[in-house]
């Protein structure tokens, strides 16, 4: 084609282009304002005989993305809004684990574990509505002395926080979040829902405390966590239901002790879909709780709205959630390859077990496992073949369960996977999914 030189542009056309440019810049600025805070602290050394109500000093910074209020092991809120916090830990042999997540000195979630003559693991997660100046930290429980296990290549105790975008409207729909818990003992008959008595967050009144059910006000991708502790000498066996379908389970039992377990999944919910936690059919659960000990929690938030999933103008979206629906005997050093897909637009490699980061950004990952009766559970999280942290548990007379999480900053093409440390006999059935691996892109950093 022949070059025609400068082409005059009408004034009204130029004005339209200017308005479009300003609107585009405003959109980018709005996206920049949603650059979430996120962090993970870890413990890579032993702590022996930590006195009661003592701050746990995490000595390793795994990731800090914009968390300006993070000073040492204490997070002070610098931007009001919703935040999700997770804590995982492992005791030394034959020691008690009783630690608390505190908001302004008030216990909002607890971890308990003890296995006679063995190590014991526990975890918990909760969403909090924070004001500027609110303080969140992890401490040992009152009148308890704890001993935690950790080395440079065995990291079990972690503390993570992620700022959520629940108050920002995307595609004209407010994101939804809920977090409920139980601070009293409750007996749950087989097939019946857990009825949580504390509501920490419910952004749009979508959680029904009378039925224990959350109803999605918007279609979208939802991140869901649930944890519980069974009373002494009782069995913990709870299931997450999406509408009428069982999605994932938790199980625990320790002879002569209480038993802790938790799980995490990411689900695609349609508007009006429901999720709830209920006891396994035919299995009564006696859940433990007290005013200053909160173990049973159920939390979820909308990661992406239905419209945002397909709206490329709002930037890249990436998430996945997979589990084991069959027993799986792994060899030492083997990557765990999951056989059930809850959600995955395509970034999880179902042949290698690797999640491949599509963009340079900040990501969150969660993993949980259950080992066969009397077997050892020992799983590691790796980022580009660099060790991140572990989940370990062993119960000499029963199944063993544990989990962990991490916030990681990744380049495009980086991989994350779960690696078997030693031989693992992972338990799973088509209607019993305990071992899971989930993650998402929180924000692009480019």
């Amino acid at each position: 084609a022949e070059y025609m030189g400068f082409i005059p542009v009408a004034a009204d056309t130029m004005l339209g282009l200017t308005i479009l440019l300003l609107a585009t810049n405003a959109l980018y600025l709005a996206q920049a304002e949603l650059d979430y805070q996120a962090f993970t602290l870890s413990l890579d050394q032993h702590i022996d005989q930590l006195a009661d109500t003592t701050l746990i000093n995490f000595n390793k910074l795994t990731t800090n993305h914009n968390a300006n209020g993070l000073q040492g092991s204490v997070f002070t809120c610098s931007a009001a809004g919703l935040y999700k916090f997770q804590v995982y830990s492992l005791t030394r042999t034959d020691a008690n684990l009783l630690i608390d997540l505190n908001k302004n000195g008030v216990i909002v979630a607890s971890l308990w574990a003890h296995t006679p003559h063995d190590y014991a693991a526990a975890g918990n997660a909760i969403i909090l509505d924070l004001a500027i100046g609110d303080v969140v930290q992890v401490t040992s429980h009152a009148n308890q002395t704890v001993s935690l296990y950790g080395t440079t290549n065995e990291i079990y105790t972690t503390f993570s926080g992620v700022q959520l975008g629940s108050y920002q409207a995307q595609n004209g729909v407010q994101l939804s979040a809920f977090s409920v818990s139980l601070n009293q003992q409750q007996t749950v008959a087989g097939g019946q829902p857990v009825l949580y008595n504390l509501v920490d967050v419910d952004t749009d009144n979508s959680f029904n405390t009378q039925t224990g059910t959350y109803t999605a006000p918007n279609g979208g991708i939802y991140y869901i966590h649930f944890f519980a502790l069974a009373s002494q000498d009782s069995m913990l066996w709870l299931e997450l239901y999406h509408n009428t379908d069982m999605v994932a389970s938790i199980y625990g039992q320790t002879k002569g002790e209480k038993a802790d377990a938790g799980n995490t999944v990411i689900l695609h919910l349609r508007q009006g879909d429901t999720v709830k936690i209920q006891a396994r059919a035919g299995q009564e659960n006696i859940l433990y709780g007290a005013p200053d000990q909160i173990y049973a929690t159920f939390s979820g938030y909308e990661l992406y709205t239905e419209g945002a999933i397909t709206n490329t103008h709002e930037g890249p979206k990436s998430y996945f959630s997979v589990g084991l629906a069959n027993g799986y005997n792994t060899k030492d050093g083997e990557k765990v390859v999951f056989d059930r897909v809850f959600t995955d637009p395509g970034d999880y490699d179902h042949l290698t077990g690797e999640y491949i980061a599509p963009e340079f950004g900040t990501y969150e990952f969660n993993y949980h496992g259950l080992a066969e009766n009397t077997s050892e559970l020992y799983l590691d999280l790796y980022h580009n073949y660099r060790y991140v942290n572990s989940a370990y548990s062993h119960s000499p007379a029963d199944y063993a369960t544990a989990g962990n999480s991490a916030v990681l900053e990744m380049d495009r093409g980086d991989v994350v996977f779960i690696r078997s440390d030693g031989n693992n006999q992972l338990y799973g059935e088509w209607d019993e999914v305990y071992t899971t691996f989930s993650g998402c892109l929180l924000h692009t950093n480019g």
Side-chain angles (χ1 to χ4, degrees):
E2 182 180 359
Y3 176 65
M4 300 299 293
F6 175 75
I7 301 176
V9 179
D12 57 346
T13 303
M14 183 64 74
L15 177 60
L17 290 173
T18 302
I19 293 173
L20 177 61
L21 179 61
L22 290 173
T24 302
N25 288 338
L27 174 62
Y28 287 141
L29 287 172
Q31 290 175 346
E33 292 172 358
L34 299 179
D35 193 359
Y36 308 149
Q37 300 182 53
F39 69 88
T40 290
L41 299 173
S42 305
L43 185 66
D44 67 358
Q45 62 186 20
H46 301 316
I47 292 182
D48 289 312
Q49 302 298 308
L50 188 68
D52 66 330
T53 61
T54 300
L55 174 70
I56 295 178
N57 287 309
F58 295 87
N59 67 317
K60 179 180 174 65
L61 176 63
T62 301
T63 302
N64 183 349
H65 180 77
N66 288 341
N68 300 322
L70 186 64
Q71 298 294 325
S73 299
V74 179
F75 177 78
T76 303
C77 179
S78 60
L82 295 182
Y83 292 76
K84 178 180 71 177
F85 296 96
Q86 297 187 73
V87 182
Y88 295 87
S89 193
L90 181 76
T91 67
R92 303 201 71 174
T93 303
D94 210 24
N96 288 333
L97 174 66
L98 183 44
I99 60 178
D100 301 310
L101 180 67
N102 300 270
K103 173 188 172 183
N104 297 333
V106 177
I107 296 170
V108 292
S110 305
L111 285 71
W112 161 267
H114 180 242
T115 302
H117 315 299
D118 217 320
Y119 302 89
N124 217 329
I126 194 168
I127 296 173
L128 299 174
D129 191 353
L130 299 185
I132 294 176
D134 282 351
V135 174
V136 179
Q137 59 189 2
V138 183
T139 65
S140 57
H141 192 75
N143 303 316
Q144 290 287 331
T145 300
V146 299
S147 296
L148 307 180
Y149 186 89
T151 68
T152 54
N153 60 349
E154 296 181 74
I155 297 173
Y156 308 99
T157 300
T158 62
F159 174 31
S160 299
V162 173
Q163 183 183 8
L164 309 182
S166 297
Y167 286 141
Q168 290 81 12
Q170 295 185 10
N171 286 350
V173 181
Q174 179 177 321
L175 296 180
S176 179
F178 73 94
S179 192
V180 294
S181 55
L182 189 65
N183 71 346
Q184 60 190 25
Q185 184 166 300
Q186 183 178 132
T187 299
V188 185
Q192 296 302 305
V194 179
L195 301 180
Y196 301 89
N197 69 313
L198 295 179
V199 177
D200 299 293
V201 168
D202 186 7
T203 57
D204 36 26
N205 298 316
S206 295
F207 191 89
N208 188 329
T209 56
Q210 301 301 309
T211 63
T213 302
Y214 170 79
T215 302
N218 315 308
I221 303 300
Y222 287 75
Y223 220 126
I224 297 173
H225 305 268
F226 64 110
F227 294 80
L229 181 74
S231 294
Q232 187 169 349
D233 266 330
S234 66
M235 181 184 295
L236 175 67
W237 198 350
L238 298 176
E239 298 171 328
L240 169 66
Y241 268 77
H242 173 198
N243 296 329
T244 59
D245 297 325
M246 193 285 299
V247 177
S249 307
I250 60 175
Y251 176 89
Q253 186 169 28
T254 304
K255 186 176 181 180
E257 296 289 346
K258 304 179 183 71
D260 168 275
N263 217 332
T264 300
V265 294
I266 298 175
L267 298 177
H268 187 177
L269 304 183
R270 308 293 182 183
Q271 186 177 25
D273 279 4
T274 61
V275 289
K276 62 181 176 181
I277 307 301
Q278 68 181 48
R280 174 78 172 187
Q283 180 58 55
E284 180 183 81
N285 283 247
I286 305 175
L287 304 181
Y288 184 81
D292 64 341
Q293 296 183 52
I294 301 172
Y295 304 101
T297 61
F298 180 26
S299 304
Y301 69 97
E302 191 176 16
L303 183 64
Y304 305 123
T305 63
E306 195 76 58
I309 297 171
T310 56
N311 188 343
T312 58
H313 297 294
E314 292 189 2
K317 316 292 185 301
S318 184
Y319 53 90
F320 76 100
S321 189
V322 292
L324 283 181
N326 293 280
Y328 186 8
N329 295 335
T330 66
K331 297 179 181 179
D332 183 31
E334 178 182 352
K335 296 174 186 175
V336 180
V337 179
F338 296 84
D339 59 11
R340 176 164 293 180
V341 178
F342 303 120
T343 49
D344 175 36
D347 294 323
Y348 175 78
D349 190 322
H350 300 269
L351 297 178
T352 67
E354 295 177 344
Y355 169 77
I356 305 170
E359 298 288 341
F360 170 49
T362 305
Y363 294 76
E364 177 189 352
F365 298 95
N366 291 266
Y367 63 107
H368 304 265
L370 181 75
E372 291 272 6
N373 194 14
T374 73
S375 298
E376 183 181 63
L377 175 72
Y378 200 168
L379 301 174
D380 299 328
L381 178 66
Y382 271 77
H383 172 203
N384 282 352
Y385 298 90
R386 294 192 300 269
Y387 171 78
V388 179
N389 60 38
S390 301
Y392 177 88
S393 186
H394 180 239
S395 182
D398 218 305
Y399 299 80
T401 184
N404 218 326
S405 69
V407 171
L408 299 174
E409 293 191 321
M410 302 173 64
D411 288 320
R412 178 183 294 181
D414 282 4
V415 298
V416 170
F417 57 88
I418 305 301
R419 175 184 178 273
S420 176
D421 200 327
N423 298 327
N424 280 267
Q425 294 178 302
L426 302 176
Y427 183 83
E429 299 284 351
W430 71 270
D431 64 341
E432 297 180 47
V433 180
Y434 306 95
T435 302
T436 62
F437 181 28
S438 304
C440 72
L441 170 65
L442 296 173
H443 197 275
T444 55
N445 296 345

